[in-house]
Amino acid sequence: MGLLITLLGALVLSGTAAAATAPAGPVPASPGAVAPFQQADGIDVSGTLRNQDGQPLPDVRITAERDGAPAGETRSEANGRWTLTVPGAGSYLFRLDEASLPPGTEVLQGETTREVTAGSLNTVVFRFGAEVEGTDTGGFATFLRLLVDGIRFGLVIGISAVGLSLIFGTTGLTNFAHGEMVTIGAVIAWFINVGGGVQLIPATIVAMLIGALLGAANELGIWRRLRRRGAGLIAQLVVSIGLSIALRYLVLIIFGGRSESFADYTGQTVRNYGPVALTDKDLSAIVIAIVVLVAVALLLQKTRIGKAMRAVSDNRDLAASSGIDVDRVVLFVWMLGGALATLGGVLFALSELSSTVQYEMGFRLLLLMFAGVILGGLGTAYGALLGCLIVGILVQLSTLVLPLDLKYLGGLAVLIVILVFRPQGLLGSRARIG
């Protein structure tokens, strides 16, 4: 437990130090080495323009400014994709030229500008659709909107993190490669949806099946072999970190450093639900997440395999002596974790928090997954869900007082505070943590 928190702290500190020491101008690359997003003459920032019906918007003019001075200009391609190379790292204001939009296309709530820190976030999202009439923008309405966004974000984190928690509960492994399972699942769904022309819902189901097979391949090809060779948990943790790095850059080689949107549900009209405004896909994401998580809870409580999973998590040796096939249970947990990670990746890529599929999306989500799992209690599926909901809500609500780029600090701060008073997490057992 102490080692895990130390590693997480190192990740946070290294990321903060990297952000604090990043130079304002272009960073000279070492000979023969070019960063994934940075070309020799600048940094590529990109996006995809689709209207509220999901149709691409070609030949739309996008400009970039830095400190009031022009920094670049481009136009979207036939598929709505655009890329603009800015001189170097730093904060830029990207502006969409409404006069270049097709007739009848409206920018949602008139938001034609986006401020982006190139080198940290290289994707710009413009939303389209008619503005909702009568939406309250007061303080309470803003709080309620952020609360709903936080619940949605927490549910997405929870779906991705339940498998991570179950894997820890049944094997004791802290799997740092779980974030890459989220990314791979979303990338597979994107290839099936965009490349294969399959509608997103069946594409996601197929991707979940593939994700389950990848989880099984992880267990059979790596972790079971390591356990049988007597590898300790610390050695397995180090292997998972190496596997995470390898998978991340394998995705970068295959998928590329670009950001891509799904062909479906990319632009939708915002609907009014009292003081809260949501798109259909956001509401659907909440419903899907709740249904799936309830199904997982029923699986754990009502089925034989679910009871076996809980038995193995409580006492592996006693479960084996009682006639439970522990290897079969662990294999099922890995398959379930792979399928849920895939679904979480698709929902995250569809949400306004990401809006695109990127090769680092799972890695960015990993720290929040660990925060939710540790906050709720390591090894408990219900604790993971509760912890992720708290983290998601606090991340979104923190934007009331923190800059948008620092919003993840809210979730991590409450993690530290709660663990000071309850080291085993909200629903964890002292005996489990030791």
Side-chain angles (χ1 to χ4, degrees), residues 102-336:
T105 304
E106 298 181 39
V107 182
L108 185 62
Q109 298 179 349
E111 297 175 351
T112 58
T113 59
R114 286 285 188 270
E115 187 171 356
V116 172
T117 304
S120 173
L121 181 63
N122 299 294
T123 302
V124 181
V125 178
F126 291 102
R127 299 184 297 166
F128 299 90
E131 185 173 354
V132 180
E133 298 293 337
T135 302
D136 187 3
T137 57
F140 177 73
T142 300
F143 172 83
L144 196 58
R145 175 178 58 81
L146 291 174
L147 178 63
V148 173
D149 286 343
I151 292 173
R152 176 166 53 86
F153 189 31
L155 289 172
V156 171
I157 302 173
I159 283 183
S160 305
V162 164
L164 179 66
S165 182
L166 289 174
I167 289 170
F168 177 86
T170 53
T171 66
L173 171 66
T174 305
N175 183 23
F176 275 81
H178 196 76
E180 274 51 60
M181 292 296 294
V182 174
T183 302
I184 291 172
V187 169
I188 291 173
W190 182 87
F191 275 115
I192 297 173
N193 174 236
V194 177
V198 180
Q199 206 271 342
L200 184 57
I201 293 177
T204 301
I205 295 174
V206 174
M208 290 177 66
L209 295 176
I210 297 175
L213 294 177
L214 289 176
N218 267 275
E219 161 64 9
L220 297 175
I222 301 176
W223 307 114
R224 184 173 295 184
R225 292 173 181 267
L226 289 176
R227 290 197 303 272
R228 290 180 176 178
R229 290 175 180 268
L233 292 177
I234 300 299
Q236 293 182 47
L237 183 148
V238 174
V239 170
S240 76
I241 295 175
L243 180 63
S244 169
I245 297 172
L247 290 176
R248 190 180 318 141
Y249 288 102
L250 179 63
V251 173
L252 176 61
I253 292 171
I254 297 174
F255 181 72
R258 64 191 189 276
S259 302
E260 296 287 355
S261 301
F262 290 115
D264 306 318
Y265 314 119
T266 54
Q268 293 191 327
T269 301
V270 177
R271 301 183 187 277
N272 225 352
Y273 298 94
V276 177
L278 291 171
T279 61
D280 290 342
K281 68 176 181 181
D282 290 339
L283 182 60
S284 299
I286 294 175
V287 173
I288 291 171
I290 292 175
V291 169
V292 171
L293 290 171
V294 169
V296 171
L298 293 176
L299 172 73
L300 291 173
Q301 295 293 336
K302 303 296 183 181
T303 65
R304 293 183 60 185
I305 187 66
K307 294 175 181 178
M309 289 163 58
R310 290 189 288 124
V312 172
S313 179
D314 288 338
N315 192 316
R316 183 188 181 95
D317 294 333
L318 180 59
S321 65
S322 302
I324 295 175
D325 188 342
V326 173
D327 284 341
R328 174 173 169 268
V329 171
V330 172
L331 178 62
F332 181 82
V333 167
W334 274 95
M335 295 179 68
L336 178 63

Side-chain angles (χ1 to χ4, degrees), residues 30 43 45-46 54 56 63-64 114 130 140 185 207 219 236 315 321 370 385 402 414:
S30 60
I43 297 177
V45 180
S46 60
T63 60
R114 286 285 188 270
F140 177 73
E219 161 64 9
Q236 293 182 47
N315 192 316
S321 65
F370 272 124
L385 174 58
L402 294 176
V414 75

Side-chain angles (χ1 to χ4, degrees), residues 44-47 73-77 81-85:
D44 284 345
V45 180
S46 60
E73 177 181 329
T74 189
R75 285 185 176 268
S76 59
E77 302 172 1
R81 178 77 181 171
W82 62 271
T83 301
L84 197 158
T85 303

Side-chain angles (χ1 to χ4, degrees), residues 18-38:
T21 58
V27 180
S30 60
V34 178
F37 286 98
Q38 185 166 340

